[in-house]
Amino acid sequence: MKKHYNQIDKDEIRKKIMGFGEKSVRKNFFPDLQSKTEEHKHGLKLLDQISDAICFIDIDTYQIIDHNNAFGQYFAINEESLKGRMFVNLLEEKDKEFIKKTFINIKEGRAHSDQSIVLDYLGKESYNAFIGETSFSLSHLGQATFFIAVIRDITKRVQAEKELHDLNAHLEKKVEERTLKLKEINSELQQFAYVVSHDLKAPLRGISQLAYWLNSDYGDKLDEEGKNLIKMLIQRVNILDDLIAGILQYSRVGRTDADKELVDLQDLLDEVSALFAANDKLELIFNLENNFIVAHRVRMEQIFQNLIDNALRYSDKEKTIVKIESHDLGSVWKIAIRDNGPGIDKKYHEKIFQIFQTLQEKSSDSTGIGLALIKKIVEMYNGNVHVESELGKGTSFIINIPKEQN
């Protein structure tokens, strides 16, 4: 393996090695000089305090001259059997020639000393194979020159990196699969929206027209119950028509080709308020500290129109008051829409944003799509929406839209 890692810090090791002195090296590190002085023993004791494996290698034969205790423990071989062994024979076959060339290049000055290399060390009966981050340096002590190898077992680290890599690859594959599945679902939703808009609305209009003719032509022949039934039929048709329109709006969110623009909130709210101008039971109050937001104008109009319509629909007051505020909070635009309605119980604060969920009776004209549509629009801008409300204390919808968007 030729992968390079950060160098092992060997300053302390070198200081201790250099402390042996020329006499110690010449006398003790070469096989033909067997006697060990007190100075050499002291030097080895210092090296034995280091947890990394350290060995000294002859620059010509590549034989191991000496080593610290950690080196012996790494390979679990008795001291005498390690000395004199070829260092490269401790390596996997694929790394042997590479290290021989590395030794030659370092010795001849064609490669930097101290570079760290990841090597695979052989497993024997007496020790397990491991992956070692290894650095080689050429040291000169007096007339003696030899290689110093410093080895750190990074097997667990490499295994952890591999597991992390495999996990990331697995997650990426899952994301790809789910993205593909989501595209398929979106495609099906678009097909459904097409069916709804073309195949369902036509017969629905036919039912509505038939009910109208029935009421016009035979209304005088029907009793009150019959007239009420026709009236209920027309109401149900209108609810179904609104439901279909809501589904179409919901399915189209996020599929607009229009570019976002700088929307003037005051100008937009003036247009929205004009839609409710005929309703004398509604009072709109605007408090805009921030007048501008980057978004799709039509989407923002949908948000305000839906929330004002909801306030009117659920109001229990003679006069429905809706206050709209906007603030620039630095990284986000905050918009608050507050009403003086009956409020919403805390246990429903999450449920109301789910599609087809409504707190009214099923027989009401609510489709249960409005707030789900608002949530989907806001999330399209990487924003969030939540409700703050208590029973009898009105309702506030808080919208946060980040300035940094995808």
Side-chain angles (χ1 to χ4, degrees):
M1 297 172 67
K2 315 298 188 292
K3 186 175 179 181
H4 294 271
Y5 284 75
N6 292 333
Q7 292 183 3
I8 300 172
D9 185 1
K10 298 178 291 300
D11 289 344
E12 182 181 358
I13 296 172
R14 280 208 194 89
K15 288 178 183 177
K16 292 176 180 178
I17 292 172
M18 296 300 287
F20 293 164
E22 176 184 349
K23 183 179 178 182
S24 295
V25 173
R26 293 175 60 193
K27 193 174 181 183
N28 300 297
F29 287 160
F30 292 90
D32 58 326
L33 301 175
Q34 297 298 321
S35 62
K36 294 190 175 183
T37 64
E38 290 301 319
E39 181 183 1
H40 178 59
K41 291 179 180 178
H42 177 68
L44 286 178
K45 284 181 180 179
L46 290 176
L47 289 180
D48 288 340
Q49 296 174 18
I50 299 170
S51 59
D52 292 324
I54 302 169
C55 73
F56 307 92
I57 305 168
D58 188 286
I59 62 170
D60 296 315
T61 65
Y62 307 144
Q63 290 177 306
I64 297 171
I65 301 168
D66 214 335
H67 58 80
N68 67 348
N69 280 344
F71 189 87
Q73 292 168 1
Y74 266 43
F75 295 95
I77 300 174
N78 65 69
E79 184 175 330
E80 293 305 320
S81 65
L82 280 172
K83 292 178 184 179
R85 291 189 63 174
M86 292 281 289
F87 178 83
V88 293
N89 288 339
L90 300 175
L91 300 169
E92 293 281 359
E93 197 65 38
K94 62 184 180 62
D95 287 335
K96 287 183 179 179
E97 289 304 315
F98 171 71
I99 290 305
K100 287 179 182 178
K101 290 178 182 178
T102 299
F103 283 152
I104 293 170
N105 289 335
I106 292 175
K107 189 165 58 173
E108 296 180 357
R110 294 197 300 269
H112 292 294
S113 185
D114 299 336
Q115 63 179 349
S116 292
I117 308 168
V118 175
L119 300 171
D120 289 327
Y121 289 87
L122 283 170
K124 297 289 185 181
E125 291 182 2
S126 54
Y127 68 95
N128 295 322
F130 68 95
I131 301 170
E133 182 181 18
T134 309
S135 69
F136 298 100
S137 59
L138 191 63
S139 292
H140 305 276
L141 295 179
Q143 297 179 358
T145 301
F146 51 88
F147 292 115
I148 299 176
V150 181
I151 306 168
R152 177 172 297 168
D153 186 349
I154 60 168
T155 306
K156 291 182 179 178
R157 188 178 86 189
V158 171
Q159 288 174 345
E161 289 174 354
K162 183 180 182 303
E163 288 173 4
L164 181 61
H165 177 272
D166 292 344
L167 177 61
N168 286 336
H170 175 71
L171 291 176
E172 287 176 5
K173 184 179 179 181
K174 283 290 185 184
V175 169
E176 289 177 3
E177 290 174 352
R178 291 180 181 179
T179 300
L180 181 61
K181 186 66 176 177
L182 185 59
K183 287 180 179 179
E184 292 174 356
I185 292 171
N186 284 336
S187 177
E188 291 172 0
L189 181 59
Q190 291 175 26
Q191 292 175 6
F192 172 72
Y194 179 84
V195 170
V196 167
S197 61
H198 291 82
D199 295 352
L200 292 183
K201 295 202 79 172
L204 191 63
R205 284 192 296 268
I207 294 171
S208 179
Q209 190 63 45
L210 286 171
Y212 174 77
W213 288 338
L214 185 62
N215 190 50
S216 295
D217 296 346
Y218 299 99
D220 57 341
K221 296 181 176 64
L222 297 173
D223 57 16
E224 281 302 312
E225 185 178 359
K227 290 177 181 179
N228 286 334
L229 289 173
I230 291 177
K231 184 179 179 180
M232 287 176 61
L233 175 62
I234 294 172
Q235 287 176 341
R236 295 298 181 271
V237 168
N238 290 336
I239 291 172
L240 186 54
D241 187 66
D242 290 342
L243 182 61
I244 291 171
I247 292 172
L248 288 172
Q249 284 186 330
Y250 187 83
S251 69
R252 288 169 181 161
V253 171
R255 293 194 289 117
T256 178
D257 293 328
D259 293 329
K260 287 179 284 190
E261 59 182 296
L262 189 64
V263 178
D264 186 330
L265 291 178
Q266 183 64 63
D267 181 58
L268 176 63
L269 288 171
D270 287 341
E271 288 185 10
V272 172
S273 61
L275 299 174
F276 299 92
N279 194 324
D280 57 3
K281 294 184 177 181
L282 173 67
E283 181 182 352
L284 293 174
I285 301 172
F286 304 145
N287 179 22
L288 307 178
E289 292 182 9
N290 172 63
N291 270 30
F292 297 95
I293 185 172
V294 175
H296 298 95
R297 187 180 181 89
V298 66
R299 297 303 184 202
M300 297 307 298
E301 183 177 351
Q302 284 178 301
I303 289 175
F304 291 121
Q305 190 173 335
N306 268 289
L307 290 175
I308 294 172
D309 186 66
N310 273 1
L312 279 168
R313 186 190 305 273
Y314 300 118
S315 179
D316 60 349
K317 306 292 192 300
E318 285 291 326
K319 192 81 166 181
T320 300
I321 300 174
V322 178
K323 298 178 181 179
I324 298 178
E325 307 167 3
S326 68
H327 308 275
D328 187 336
L329 301 183
S331 61
V332 300
W333 292 295
K334 177 182 176 181
I335 298 172
I337 300 92
R338 311 182 192 277
D339 66 48
N340 65 336
I344 302 171
D345 194 311
K346 287 185 178 180
K347 65 183 179 181
Y348 298 119
H349 284 192
E350 296 294 331
K351 179 182 177 181
I352 59 174
F353 290 106
Q354 298 172 15
I355 192 167
F356 302 133
Q357 296 296 323
T358 175
L359 301 185
Q360 289 189 328
E361 296 293 332
K362 291 295 183 181
S363 58
S364 74
D365 60 351
S366 175
T367 63
I369 293 178
L371 291 178
L373 176 67
I374 289 170
K375 184 174 185 288
K376 190 173 182 181
I377 291 172
V378 172
E379 289 178 348
M380 183 177 71
Y381 299 118
N382 298 329
N384 61 78
V385 56
H386 69 275
V387 63
E388 296 175 357
S389 181
E390 293 182 33
L391 288 175
K393 295 185 179 181
T395 300
S396 296
F397 287 94
I398 311 300
I399 296 170
N400 293 296
I401 297 179
K403 294 181 180 180
E404 293 292 331
Q405 302 170 14
N406 291 339

